[in-house]
Amino acid sequence: MFSSPHHDVAAYALGVLDEEDHEAFQRHLMTCEECQIELRELCEVPGFLDGLRRDRSNSMDDGRMSH
Amino acid sequence: MPVRRQLGSRFESTDTDVVLVEDLHREFGAPLLRHVRKAIGNDLQWAEDVVQETLVRAWRNAGRLQREPGLLWAWLLTVARRIVIDGRRRRGTRPQEVEPADANAVPVPDGADRALEAMIVAEALRELSPEHREVIEQTYLRDRTINEAAEILGIPPGTVKSRLYYGIRALRKVLKERGVAS
Ligand SMILES: [Zn+2]
């Protein structure tokens, strides 16, 4: 799958970019309006996953999702 | 860059720095603390440290961030999350080990609401394609970076990023449809 620099916005919002990529994307963000808009849209999503992670701690200790 | 020079001169006036960070604290401190506590559980001291560190970093970038309304808040959330993840990795602790020691000590969001929300989010995740669900699980939900997840999954980092991008967008769409996300 093709990966554009703009795609890093999701990983950045989740805080999972490796250090070098994190710094690079931060610089990109300051100049890219498209990514600024997307970051605003995506920034609340990780918070919802946080709730899930805590919920999982009570039911599944290997962290796997049930299907 | 003019902004940098401006910030550079601010660096030298310590009193102004304190005031600016205090301004940020007044405006964003409380909502940011709520978000951070959701991510890290009941370690209130750590949560407050994360908020403070986030606001100091924000102040350093404020000149560039404030032009775009809403961006500063998005950026604060992101930076706070990054600080939490770094801290967690350094401590070698995982959120699974965080347990409320004393539920009465500090106000926490309602447990029932939280459980319901978690259920909706879990269901939303199951609606994603297996590839999208997998990268969300192998990165954020396990405190792994892109490169670490790429190695475990045996796919290029760029592919992890792309899948994460489409996966997170898809997740947000489902959560919006369910009336959870805005
Ligand atoms: Zn961009």
Side-chain angles (χ1 to χ4, degrees), chain B residues 22-44:
Chain B
E22 273 174 5
D23 282 349
L24 287 169
H25 205 285
R26 219 176 355 261
E27 193 171 353
F28 298 107
L32 194 54
L33 187 62
R34 263 199 306 282
H35 275 266
V36 170
R37 293 201 55 213
K38 200 175 164 200
I40 72 180
N42 274 23
D43 191 339
L44 187 59

PDB file of all heavy atoms in Angstrom, chain B residues 22-44:
ATOM      1  N   GLU B  22       0.772  29.633  32.641  1.00  0.00           N
ATOM      2  CA  GLU B  22      -0.407  29.723  33.505  1.00  0.00           C
ATOM      3  C   GLU B  22      -1.678  29.994  32.701  1.00  0.00           C
ATOM      4  O   GLU B  22      -2.739  29.468  32.999  1.00  0.00           O
ATOM      5  CB  GLU B  22      -0.212  30.809  34.573  1.00  0.00           C
ATOM      6  CG  GLU B  22       0.500  30.279  35.812  1.00  0.00           C
ATOM      7  CD  GLU B  22       0.822  31.380  36.809  1.00  0.00           C
ATOM      8  OE1 GLU B  22       0.410  32.535  36.585  1.00  0.00           O
ATOM      9  OE2 GLU B  22       1.496  31.075  37.803  1.00  0.00           O
ATOM     10  N   ASP B  23      -1.552  30.840  31.685  1.00  0.00           N
ATOM     11  CA  ASP B  23      -2.693  31.097  30.791  1.00  0.00           C
ATOM     12  C   ASP B  23      -3.169  29.802  30.142  1.00  0.00           C
ATOM     13  O   ASP B  23      -4.362  29.513  30.107  1.00  0.00           O
ATOM     14  CB  ASP B  23      -2.298  32.077  29.672  1.00  0.00           C
ATOM     15  CG  ASP B  23      -2.275  33.517  30.176  1.00  0.00           C
ATOM     16  OD1 ASP B  23      -2.771  33.737  31.302  1.00  0.00           O
ATOM     17  OD2 ASP B  23      -1.776  34.386  29.454  1.00  0.00           O
ATOM     18  N   LEU B  24      -2.215  29.055  29.628  1.00  0.00           N
ATOM     19  CA  LEU B  24      -2.554  27.785  28.990  1.00  0.00           C
ATOM     20  C   LEU B  24      -3.203  26.848  30.001  1.00  0.00           C
ATOM     21  O   LEU B  24      -4.145  26.128  29.693  1.00  0.00           O
ATOM     22  CB  LEU B  24      -1.288  27.121  28.413  1.00  0.00           C
ATOM     23  CG  LEU B  24      -0.695  27.757  27.161  1.00  0.00           C
ATOM     24  CD1 LEU B  24       0.680  27.175  26.866  1.00  0.00           C
ATOM     25  CD2 LEU B  24      -1.618  27.555  25.970  1.00  0.00           C
ATOM     26  N   HIS B  25      -2.672  26.868  31.206  1.00  0.00           N
ATOM     27  CA  HIS B  25      -3.190  25.995  32.257  1.00  0.00           C
ATOM     28  C   HIS B  25      -4.637  26.343  32.578  1.00  0.00           C
ATOM     29  O   HIS B  25      -5.487  25.474  32.722  1.00  0.00           O
ATOM     30  CB  HIS B  25      -2.327  26.109  33.516  1.00  0.00           C
ATOM     31  CG  HIS B  25      -2.400  24.891  34.374  1.00  0.00           C
ATOM     32  ND1 HIS B  25      -3.490  24.607  35.169  1.00  0.00           N
ATOM     33  CD2 HIS B  25      -1.532  23.863  34.547  1.00  0.00           C
ATOM     34  CE1 HIS B  25      -3.274  23.459  35.784  1.00  0.00           C
ATOM     35  NE2 HIS B  25      -2.112  22.984  35.424  1.00  0.00           N
ATOM     36  N   ARG B  26      -4.919  27.631  32.647  1.00  0.00           N
ATOM     37  CA  ARG B  26      -6.277  28.069  32.972  1.00  0.00           C
ATOM     38  C   ARG B  26      -7.247  27.609  31.889  1.00  0.00           C
ATOM     39  O   ARG B  26      -8.349  27.159  32.159  1.00  0.00           O
ATOM     40  CB  ARG B  26      -6.317  29.588  33.114  1.00  0.00           C
ATOM     41  CG  ARG B  26      -7.222  30.047  34.237  1.00  0.00           C
ATOM     42  CD  ARG B  26      -7.225  31.551  34.476  1.00  0.00           C
ATOM     43  NE  ARG B  26      -6.288  32.332  33.699  1.00  0.00           N
ATOM     44  CZ  ARG B  26      -5.101  32.751  34.158  1.00  0.00           C
ATOM     45  NH1 ARG B  26      -4.712  32.431  35.367  1.00  0.00           N
ATOM     46  NH2 ARG B  26      -4.324  33.491  33.396  1.00  0.00           N
ATOM     47  N   GLU B  27      -6.807  27.722  30.651  1.00  0.00           N
ATOM     48  CA  GLU B  27      -7.706  27.418  29.546  1.00  0.00           C
ATOM     49  C   GLU B  27      -7.846  25.917  29.276  1.00  0.00           C
ATOM     50  O   GLU B  27      -8.932  25.432  28.987  1.00  0.00           O
ATOM     51  CB  GLU B  27      -7.227  28.126  28.279  1.00  0.00           C
ATOM     52  CG  GLU B  27      -8.269  28.114  27.183  1.00  0.00           C
ATOM     53  CD  GLU B  27      -7.887  29.004  26.011  1.00  0.00           C
ATOM     54  OE1 GLU B  27      -6.888  29.731  26.115  1.00  0.00           O
ATOM     55  OE2 GLU B  27      -8.601  28.939  24.998  1.00  0.00           O
ATOM     56  N   PHE B  28      -6.727  25.203  29.396  1.00  0.00           N
ATOM     57  CA  PHE B  28      -6.748  23.797  28.955  1.00  0.00           C
ATOM     58  C   PHE B  28      -6.469  22.792  30.071  1.00  0.00           C
ATOM     59  O   PHE B  28      -6.612  21.585  29.866  1.00  0.00           O
ATOM     60  CB  PHE B  28      -5.705  23.579  27.850  1.00  0.00           C
ATOM     61  CG  PHE B  28      -5.957  24.397  26.615  1.00  0.00           C
ATOM     62  CD1 PHE B  28      -5.162  25.487  26.318  1.00  0.00           C
ATOM     63  CD2 PHE B  28      -6.992  24.068  25.756  1.00  0.00           C
ATOM     64  CE1 PHE B  28      -5.389  26.237  25.172  1.00  0.00           C
ATOM     65  CE2 PHE B  28      -7.230  24.814  24.611  1.00  0.00           C
ATOM     66  CZ  PHE B  28      -6.420  25.901  24.327  1.00  0.00           C
ATOM     67  N   GLY B  29      -6.052  23.277  31.226  1.00  0.00           N
ATOM     68  CA  GLY B  29      -5.595  22.375  32.286  1.00  0.00           C
ATOM     69  C   GLY B  29      -6.612  21.317  32.681  1.00  0.00           C
ATOM     70  O   GLY B  29      -6.309  20.120  32.699  1.00  0.00           O
ATOM     71  N   ALA B  30      -7.842  21.757  32.968  1.00  0.00           N
ATOM     72  CA  ALA B  30      -8.854  20.820  33.476  1.00  0.00           C
ATOM     73  C   ALA B  30      -9.279  19.771  32.434  1.00  0.00           C
ATOM     74  O   ALA B  30      -9.239  18.570  32.719  1.00  0.00           O
ATOM     75  CB  ALA B  30     -10.068  21.590  33.992  1.00  0.00           C
ATOM     76  N   PRO B  31      -9.657  20.208  31.212  1.00  0.00           N
ATOM     77  CA  PRO B  31     -10.037  19.183  30.223  1.00  0.00           C
ATOM     78  C   PRO B  31      -8.876  18.251  29.870  1.00  0.00           C
ATOM     79  O   PRO B  31      -9.076  17.063  29.656  1.00  0.00           O
ATOM     80  CB  PRO B  31     -10.477  19.994  28.998  1.00  0.00           C
ATOM     81  CG  PRO B  31     -10.014  21.382  29.223  1.00  0.00           C
ATOM     82  CD  PRO B  31      -9.888  21.567  30.700  1.00  0.00           C
ATOM     83  N   LEU B  32      -7.676  18.802  29.856  1.00  0.00           N
ATOM     84  CA  LEU B  32      -6.514  17.972  29.521  1.00  0.00           C
ATOM     85  C   LEU B  32      -6.279  16.923  30.612  1.00  0.00           C
ATOM     86  O   LEU B  32      -6.007  15.755  30.319  1.00  0.00           O
ATOM     87  CB  LEU B  32      -5.279  18.870  29.367  1.00  0.00           C
ATOM     88  CG  LEU B  32      -4.048  18.257  28.702  1.00  0.00           C
ATOM     89  CD1 LEU B  32      -4.400  17.670  27.340  1.00  0.00           C
ATOM     90  CD2 LEU B  32      -2.945  19.296  28.569  1.00  0.00           C
ATOM     91  N   LEU B  33      -6.439  17.344  31.857  1.00  0.00           N
ATOM     92  CA  LEU B  33      -6.258  16.406  32.973  1.00  0.00           C
ATOM     93  C   LEU B  33      -7.266  15.259  32.882  1.00  0.00           C
ATOM     94  O   LEU B  33      -6.930  14.104  33.141  1.00  0.00           O
ATOM     95  CB  LEU B  33      -6.399  17.144  34.311  1.00  0.00           C
ATOM     96  CG  LEU B  33      -6.078  16.318  35.566  1.00  0.00           C
ATOM     97  CD1 LEU B  33      -4.627  15.858  35.570  1.00  0.00           C
ATOM     98  CD2 LEU B  33      -6.378  17.114  36.837  1.00  0.00           C
ATOM     99  N   ARG B  34      -8.493  15.586  32.479  1.00  0.00           N
ATOM    100  CA  ARG B  34      -9.512  14.530  32.326  1.00  0.00           C
ATOM    101  C   ARG B  34      -9.083  13.498  31.292  1.00  0.00           C
ATOM    102  O   ARG B  34      -9.199  12.295  31.517  1.00  0.00           O
ATOM    103  CB  ARG B  34     -10.854  15.151  31.903  1.00  0.00           C
ATOM    104  CG  ARG B  34     -11.809  15.403  33.053  1.00  0.00           C
ATOM    105  CD  ARG B  34     -13.239  15.555  32.568  1.00  0.00           C
ATOM    106  NE  ARG B  34     -13.416  16.566  31.535  1.00  0.00           N
ATOM    107  CZ  ARG B  34     -13.468  17.877  31.778  1.00  0.00           C
ATOM    108  NH1 ARG B  34     -13.386  18.323  33.015  1.00  0.00           N
ATOM    109  NH2 ARG B  34     -13.625  18.735  30.797  1.00  0.00           N
ATOM    110  N   HIS B  35      -8.585  13.995  30.164  1.00  0.00           N
ATOM    111  CA  HIS B  35      -8.154  13.073  29.111  1.00  0.00           C
ATOM    112  C   HIS B  35      -6.968  12.229  29.549  1.00  0.00           C
ATOM    113  O   HIS B  35      -6.915  11.031  29.297  1.00  0.00           O
ATOM    114  CB  HIS B  35      -7.785  13.855  27.847  1.00  0.00           C
ATOM    115  CG  HIS B  35      -8.969  14.149  26.980  1.00  0.00           C
ATOM    116  ND1 HIS B  35      -9.343  13.340  25.942  1.00  0.00           N
ATOM    117  CD2 HIS B  35      -9.870  15.146  27.021  1.00  0.00           C
ATOM    118  CE1 HIS B  35     -10.437  13.833  25.377  1.00  0.00           C
ATOM    119  NE2 HIS B  35     -10.764  14.932  26.012  1.00  0.00           N
ATOM    120  N   VAL B  36      -6.018  12.877  30.211  1.00  0.00           N
ATOM    121  CA  VAL B  36      -4.816  12.162  30.640  1.00  0.00           C
ATOM    122  C   VAL B  36      -5.169  11.087  31.658  1.00  0.00           C
ATOM    123  O   VAL B  36      -4.675   9.962  31.604  1.00  0.00           O
ATOM    124  CB  VAL B  36      -3.774  13.148  31.228  1.00  0.00           C
ATOM    125  CG1 VAL B  36      -2.635  12.400  31.884  1.00  0.00           C
ATOM    126  CG2 VAL B  36      -3.234  14.070  30.134  1.00  0.00           C
ATOM    127  N   ARG B  37      -6.097  11.426  32.550  1.00  0.00           N
ATOM    128  CA  ARG B  37      -6.454  10.446  33.585  1.00  0.00           C
ATOM    129  C   ARG B  37      -7.164   9.251  32.983  1.00  0.00           C
ATOM    130  O   ARG B  37      -7.065   8.133  33.485  1.00  0.00           O
ATOM    131  CB  ARG B  37      -7.315  11.113  34.656  1.00  0.00           C
ATOM    132  CG  ARG B  37      -6.506  12.147  35.428  1.00  0.00           C
ATOM    133  CD  ARG B  37      -7.108  12.446  36.762  1.00  0.00           C
ATOM    134  NE  ARG B  37      -7.274  11.237  37.519  1.00  0.00           N
ATOM    135  CZ  ARG B  37      -8.271  11.036  38.370  1.00  0.00           C
ATOM    136  NH1 ARG B  37      -9.180  11.956  38.539  1.00  0.00           N
ATOM    137  NH2 ARG B  37      -8.346   9.923  39.040  1.00  0.00           N
ATOM    138  N   LYS B  38      -7.867   9.479  31.895  1.00  0.00           N
ATOM    139  CA  LYS B  38      -8.522   8.362  31.225  1.00  0.00           C
ATOM    140  C   LYS B  38      -7.461   7.416  30.651  1.00  0.00           C
ATOM    141  O   LYS B  38      -7.651   6.214  30.596  1.00  0.00           O
ATOM    142  CB  LYS B  38      -9.415   8.910  30.103  1.00  0.00           C
ATOM    143  CG  LYS B  38     -10.486   7.930  29.671  1.00  0.00           C
ATOM    144  CD  LYS B  38     -11.401   8.573  28.653  1.00  0.00           C
ATOM    145  CE  LYS B  38     -12.206   7.522  27.922  1.00  0.00           C
ATOM    146  NZ  LYS B  38     -12.742   8.019  26.654  1.00  0.00           N
ATOM    147  N   ALA B  39      -6.347   7.995  30.240  1.00  0.00           N
ATOM    148  CA  ALA B  39      -5.294   7.179  29.637  1.00  0.00           C
ATOM    149  C   ALA B  39      -4.449   6.457  30.678  1.00  0.00           C
ATOM    150  O   ALA B  39      -3.965   5.364  30.439  1.00  0.00           O
ATOM    151  CB  ALA B  39      -4.400   8.051  28.756  1.00  0.00           C
ATOM    152  N   ILE B  40      -4.264   7.063  31.844  1.00  0.00           N
ATOM    153  CA  ILE B  40      -3.295   6.477  32.775  1.00  0.00           C
ATOM    154  C   ILE B  40      -3.906   5.970  34.067  1.00  0.00           C
ATOM    155  O   ILE B  40      -3.192   5.411  34.888  1.00  0.00           O
ATOM    156  CB  ILE B  40      -2.137   7.461  33.103  1.00  0.00           C
ATOM    157  CG1 ILE B  40      -2.602   8.599  34.004  1.00  0.00           C
ATOM    158  CG2 ILE B  40      -1.516   7.992  31.850  1.00  0.00           C
ATOM    159  CD1 ILE B  40      -1.485   9.566  34.321  1.00  0.00           C
ATOM    160  N   GLY B  41      -5.188   6.144  34.262  1.00  0.00           N
ATOM    161  CA  GLY B  41      -5.784   5.612  35.487  1.00  0.00           C
ATOM    162  C   GLY B  41      -5.640   6.579  36.645  1.00  0.00           C
ATOM    163  O   GLY B  41      -5.663   7.788  36.452  1.00  0.00           O
ATOM    164  N   ASN B  42      -5.428   6.042  37.835  1.00  0.00           N
ATOM    165  CA  ASN B  42      -5.596   6.855  39.027  1.00  0.00           C
ATOM    166  C   ASN B  42      -4.345   7.489  39.610  1.00  0.00           C
ATOM    167  O   ASN B  42      -4.375   7.983  40.712  1.00  0.00           O
ATOM    168  CB  ASN B  42      -6.281   6.035  40.114  1.00  0.00           C
ATOM    169  CG  ASN B  42      -7.789   6.110  39.960  1.00  0.00           C
ATOM    170  OD1 ASN B  42      -8.276   6.395  38.864  1.00  0.00           O
ATOM    171  ND2 ASN B  42      -8.525   5.877  41.015  1.00  0.00           N
ATOM    172  N   ASP B  43      -3.259   7.456  38.884  1.00  0.00           N
ATOM    173  CA  ASP B  43      -2.047   8.097  39.378  1.00  0.00           C
ATOM    174  C   ASP B  43      -2.149   9.600  39.135  1.00  0.00           C
ATOM    175  O   ASP B  43      -1.642  10.122  38.145  1.00  0.00           O
ATOM    176  CB  ASP B  43      -0.819   7.510  38.660  1.00  0.00           C
ATOM    177  CG  ASP B  43       0.488   7.943  39.303  1.00  0.00           C
ATOM    178  OD1 ASP B  43       0.479   8.972  40.020  1.00  0.00           O
ATOM    179  OD2 ASP B  43       1.498   7.278  39.091  1.00  0.00           O
ATOM    180  N   LEU B  44      -2.826  10.279  40.063  1.00  0.00           N
ATOM    181  CA  LEU B  44      -3.138  11.697  39.876  1.00  0.00           C
ATOM    182  C   LEU B  44      -1.879  12.547  39.786  1.00  0.00           C
ATOM    183  O   LEU B  44      -1.806  13.483  39.004  1.00  0.00           O
ATOM    184  CB  LEU B  44      -4.047  12.196  41.005  1.00  0.00           C
ATOM    185  CG  LEU B  44      -4.585  13.610  40.848  1.00  0.00           C
ATOM    186  CD1 LEU B  44      -5.392  13.762  39.570  1.00  0.00           C
ATOM    187  CD2 LEU B  44      -5.427  14.012  42.054  1.00  0.00           C
TER     188      LEU B  44
END
